[in-house]
Amino acid sequence: MPLPAPASGAGDGAAYGLAAGQAIDASTMMTPDALAGGIGSRLPPDAAETVHEMHLALMYLLSNPQEFNKALTFEVGGSGASMQDWNADFDDNATDVSFQPGGPDGAAGGIMSAPPPLPYAVFSDDAEVVLPQAHTANQLFGLERESGIELEAACGIQALSQLFLRWLALMPEGDHMNIIDPPGLTVMRIAGGRYRCTAAHRVVWTWNSEFPRLFTQPTTEDGSAPSSPASAMDGLHMGDLVTMTIVDVFETDTDGRLLSYCPTFDNRNIKKTMKTAEQLRKGGSKVVAVAKVVAKSDAAARFNSAAILVTRLSLKAAVQVKDSVVKRIDDEMQKAAAAKKGIPIDVNRGESGSEGDSPAGGDKGTEEKSAENFGEQDGGKLASC
């Protein structure tokens, strides 16, 4: 079967590419320079430091549930929320959030007198969280120890605030500001400029539950108590100070605000702790945090330079002391050897003359006589050295 004839003008490439006489536009071509600098310029800036700040703000939220109550009564509107605005408001001790009605032309939704509550700065508007569905501590830490934890999801800041309040109420006055470091916060930057993060912290609260013996001491078919991980919680009573480890798994947007949060914990592994031990841990973590801040300061850089200089001087002094000690040992050994042979040696003139030279203006016979007396009197003492 013969092939169809090419279209008109195909001989000069018009049917397969550029038209006849059309010039190539170099500005539309991806040159190596454009590939090297253009891709990076289109990516969002690195927000890893902001992610660390958001994680600390999240721990503050979990330790202060009243911030979620503020989010429930907050009227959405005005300018957007940011951590800088909230920090400035916190430093000024501003506690109320309200609007001043009346804009430039008297329209509704006027000027905001204080930044929004902290959840609006930490979570994005469409953030989603997955938390336990339990309404009582007996359910989460009692029944669901055997059957497993029921989960519930919420989307939107007001909906997730309600879910957080219900979960945090099961650990009343819980202190979540106990980040486990190491490993600390692990931040992975994924495609598109978002971040996936994992961290771990300990929550400390006062135990306020008393479970029936049916929950705490289950029996097997033969009537004996089984050995299970839940047996460590059998000795907990109301009023005990307890602790539990929570693994934080969350994802943020390009600005560092949380898109999702899903805590992971073992409701069968709750341990009793002591107030003194928690105070020591809290004090130790503050010392480490201050040390990290100080280590990055200019004063620390100057101190490190001074420490290096002192170390070098100390090493130099140690070398000099070592040389001095070695020289004294050599001198004593030479004296002991000379005493055994009955020949004195003047180590102080070793640099100016040879060992066999006589002192200037001295008498050789007198020198030999002194050597004999020197050997008789001090030979035993020098030999003992």
Side-chain angles (χ1 to χ4, degrees):
M1 179 178 180
L3 296 175
S8 176
D12 55 7
Y16 304 103
L18 296 172
Q22 182 179 357
I24 298 176
D25 187 3
S27 62
T28 61
M29 299 180 64
M30 293 299 292
T31 62
D33 295 338
L35 289 174
I39 296 177
S41 62
R42 293 194 298 269
L43 292 177
D46 189 5
E49 292 296 331
T50 306
V51 173
H52 281 80
E53 185 178 358
M54 289 298 181
H55 182 238
L56 292 176
L58 176 63
M59 296 298 100
Y60 177 84
L61 275 175
L62 299 181
S63 302
N64 298 272
Q66 64 270 16
E67 296 293 334
F68 289 111
N69 276 323
K70 295 180 182 179
L72 292 176
T73 59
F74 178 73
E75 296 181 5
V76 180
S79 59
S82 67
M83 285 300 301
Q84 290 78 10
D85 295 337
W86 194 89
N87 287 335
D89 177 71
F90 184 82
D91 294 337
D92 294 338
N93 296 321
T95 57
D96 57 336
V97 179
S98 60
F99 284 93
Q100 297 177 357
D105 53 355
I111 303 173
M112 186 170 57
S113 62
L118 185 57
Y120 283 89
V122 174
F123 295 93
S124 62
D125 294 337
D126 57 347
E128 182 179 1
V129 299
V130 179
L131 298 175
Q133 182 269 338
H135 289 72
T136 64
N138 284 7
Q139 179 182 352
L140 179 61
F141 302 116
L143 290 173
E144 293 184 352
R145 285 164 56 183
E146 299 295 331
S147 62
I149 300 176
E150 296 287 343
L151 299 177
E152 182 176 347
C155 183
I157 295 181
Q158 293 198 354
L160 65 86
S161 296
Q162 292 178 342
L163 190 56
F164 267 114
L165 287 172
R166 192 172 68 193
W167 177 50
L168 296 175
L170 307 182
M171 300 170 287
E173 299 181 358
D175 179 14
H176 294 257
M177 300 290 291
N178 304 286
I179 299 176
I180 301 176
D181 189 7
L185 178 64
T186 302
V187 180
M188 180 181 70
R189 189 173 187 179
I190 58 181
R194 295 178 300 168
Y195 300 88
R196 181 173 297 169
C197 311
T198 58
H201 74 275
R202 292 186 311 106
V203 55
V204 181
W205 80 99
T206 301
W207 189 254
N208 62 345
S209 301
E210 286 289 346
F211 298 130
R213 298 181 64 86
L214 176 63
F215 297 152
T216 59
Q217 293 183 355
T219 58
T220 59
E221 295 180 355
D222 57 357
S224 60
S227 57
S228 64
S231 60
M233 299 173 55
D234 295 345
L236 297 181
H237 300 285
M238 186 174 296
D240 291 341
L241 193 65
V242 296
T243 180
M244 180 179 67
T245 299
I246 299 178
V247 178
D248 305 307
V249 181
F250 59 95
E251 188 173 324
T252 73
D253 58 12
T254 56
D255 297 328
R257 296 199 300 176
L258 272 67
L259 294 171
S260 62
Y261 175 66
C262 181
T264 304
F265 59 91
D266 188 357
N267 62 343
R268 300 164 299 175
N269 189 18
I270 300 175
K271 301 177 181 179
K272 187 185 300 185
T273 184
M274 303 295 293
K275 182 178 180 181
T276 305
E278 295 301 326
Q279 290 176 343
L280 291 175
R281 292 191 184 100
K282 185 75 72 173
S285 61
K286 290 182 179 179
V287 170
V288 172
V290 171
K292 289 181 178 179
V293 174
V294 172
K296 298 180 180 179
S297 63
D298 296 336
R302 292 193 296 269
F303 176 80
N304 291 337
S305 300
I308 293 174
L309 179 60
V310 170
T311 302
R312 290 176 179 175
L313 293 177
S314 301
L315 291 175
K316 185 176 181 180
V319 171
Q320 292 178 351
V321 170
K322 174 253 185 186
D323 294 340
S324 177
V325 172
V326 171
K327 185 176 181 299
R328 292 183 59 183
I329 294 175
D330 292 341
D331 293 345
E332 293 296 334
M333 292 178 64
Q334 291 179 12
K335 290 180 181 179
K340 290 181 179 180
K341 298 179 180 179
I343 302 175
I345 181 171
D346 187 2
V347 295
N348 294 326
R349 64 182 181 87
E351 298 178 357
S352 59
S354 61
E355 186 172 331
D357 295 339
S358 299
D363 183 32
K364 189 173 182 179
T366 305
E367 184 180 351
E368 294 177 353
K369 186 175 181 181
S370 300
E372 295 177 359
N373 295 332
F374 183 86
E376 292 176 357
Q377 296 177 3
D378 299 334
K381 182 172 68 175
L382 290 176
S384 64
C385 297

